[in-house]
Amino acid sequence: MDLDLYLKQLEELVNLDSGSRNAAGITQVADRLSQWYRELGWNVETIPLCQETGPVLLITNRPADHYDVMFIGHMDTVFPDGTAAKRPFRIEGENYYGPGVGDMKNGDVAMYHVAANLPKDVLDRLNIAMVYNPDEEIGSVYSREATDSIGRKSDYIFVMESAGQKGTRHCFARKGSLSYELEFHGQAAHAGFMFEVENASAVLEMANYIKEIMGLASREKDTTVNVGIAQGGTAKNVVADFAKISVDMRFKLDEERVRLKQAVPRLVDGEPFVKGVKTVIAEERESRPLVKTEKTAAFVGRMKELAGELGIPFQEKDRGGLSDANHLAQCGDVVVLDGMGPHGANDHSEKEYGYIGSVEPCVRLLVRVLSDMAERK
């Protein structure tokens, strides 16, 4: 592969602000990618979503009703407008730096180089889709329907989030999540007369809920529960009539998802800890876990063999964070492989970087894997 071209293209994308709700910036990234693929002779389809974000790109080696392989990357970052100008792409030693460089514009560009380096016989035998979404960092709320529709037509899905450990540690299992916004509605009163007048402290009810909800965690099953935000009250001498909490739950097992999903409504529908306070679930969001199936394990085993033949280190590690892999894994009898991009680390921070030495092995391995799939087809 042409590493100099890769770094030049990566610099172009990193130096474009493309926060999840920066529709103009994401569209610029999409335009660059579209141009590069058109120059390869690939078919480019733009799927508009809404004014809040940019489009989904569906780029294929030919139009098809079914894809042997789907690659997916996201064009958005977590950074506000102006970040790229403050700390643009740069190379220092063996690493490259910049906003979104590891999460995940390095993977976006690697996808292009996989396409550019595939032999003709592979392109003739396999239907391949390169998919780019604009809003993964906010949960793919706008793009999920479009990307899942492509996923349901695919046999194998490579999620090009960064690998760990300088490109050798990939991800084939991720925790699922439940998130809740709970609101507590009580009755205000002067705190100095709380024994004399009717009142109901929403903050006290909230405190009881925090204890109960965080007690749902299970160290044995690696199920975590965190109340990350707690707010309530207006003044120290006023009994609070309103409070709210934001809850994040992560789990490996689907049985744990069921347990947690039953526990929260049961708590809300039961008797309040503080008489007179009403609790409501204002928002609930759910993502299923990415589970390493037997079919996935067999394919991973073959990838390890191929990596060994190429002299490329290959390790794996489960992750607690979410990605598009979580929902794409629900698209049927599909093998989903995550963390397949070049190495990146310190995501969402000023120290975010990628390792240059991981780029060529990443592309070379994926080209070999697709060649092997074509040979076996």
Side-chain angles (χ1 to χ4, degrees), residues 1-20:
M1 66 165 287
D2 188 337
L3 183 59
D4 289 336
L5 176 61
Y6 174 93
L7 294 173
K8 179 174 180 283
Q9 292 172 323
L10 183 59
E11 180 176 10
E12 281 190 55
L13 297 193
V14 170
N15 287 346
L16 293 172
D17 286 316
S18 58
S20 301

Side-chain angles (χ1 to χ4, degrees), residues 78-79 87 100 103 136-137 345-352:
V78 300
F79 300 102
R87 47 185 188 90
D103 189 14
E136 191 272 349
E137 294 291 2
N346 297 338
D347 301 348
H348 300 191
S349 77
E350 293 185 358
K351 296 181 179 180
E352 183 176 7

Side-chain angles (χ1 to χ4, degrees), residues 260-334:
L260 295 170
K261 196 167 182 179
Q262 292 174 344
V264 174
R266 187 164 54 241
L267 186 61
V268 170
D269 293 339
E271 289 294 318
F273 296 95
V274 178
K275 185 178 179 181
V277 176
K278 179 177 177 56
T279 302
V280 297
I281 299 174
E283 183 178 298
E284 177 185 359
R285 290 188 179 181
E286 175 182 346
S287 290
R288 297 290 184 95
L290 169 64
V291 178
K292 185 179 180 182
T293 65
E294 290 185 9
K295 187 175 179 181
T296 301
F299 189 76
V300 170
R302 179 57 181 160
M303 283 200 300
K304 286 182 178 178
E305 290 178 6
L306 296 172
E309 292 173 7
L310 296 173
I312 297 173
F314 190 105
Q315 300 175 21
E316 59 183 284
K317 181 177 175 59
D318 297 352
R319 298 184 187 180
L322 303 177
S323 81
D324 284 318
N326 290 78
H327 62 89
L328 288 166
Q330 315 307 317
C331 288
D333 185 24
V334 60

Side-chain angles (χ1 to χ4, degrees), residues 42-45 47 58-70 122-131 146 149-155 377:
W42 284 51
N43 182 68
V44 177
E45 180 181 348
I47 305 172
L58 170 57
I59 303 171
T60 59
N61 59 329
R62 62 181 151 268
D65 295 325
H66 169 268
Y67 302 106
D68 298 285
V69 183
M70 168 185 171
V122 176
L123 293 171
D124 288 342
R125 293 185 185 184
L126 299 182
N127 294 333
I128 303 169
M130 298 291 184
V131 180
S149 69
I150 303 166
R152 285 190 287 271
K153 302 174 185 176
S154 305
D155 294 330
K377 188 174 179 181

Side-chain angles (χ1 to χ4, degrees), residues 78-154:
V78 300
F79 300 102
D81 291 353
T83 306
K86 290 179 182 176
R87 47 185 188 90
F89 179 87
R90 72 185 192 280
I91 295 174
E92 291 183 7
E94 63 181 11
N95 298 326
Y96 44 70
Y97 297 82
V101 75
D103 189 14
M104 59 167 288
K105 290 179 177 178
N106 59 345
D108 293 338
V109 181
M111 288 166 60
Y112 165 83
H113 282 266
V114 170
N117 285 276
L118 286 172
K120 183 179 183 301
D121 64 316
V122 176
L123 293 171
D124 288 342
R125 293 185 185 184
L126 299 182
N127 294 333
I128 303 169
M130 298 291 184
V131 180
Y132 293 88
N133 85 36
D135 62 342
E136 191 272 349
E137 294 291 2
I138 55 173
S140 300
V141 291
Y142 302 114
S143 66
R144 184 173 301 192
E145 182 178 348
T147 57
D148 282 0
S149 69
I150 303 166
R152 285 190 287 271
K153 302 174 185 176
S154 305

Side-chain angles (χ1 to χ4, degrees), residues 238-249:
V238 178
V239 176
D241 64 350
F242 179 78
K244 62 180 180 179
I245 57 175
S246 299
V247 185
D248 178 88
M249 301 173 165

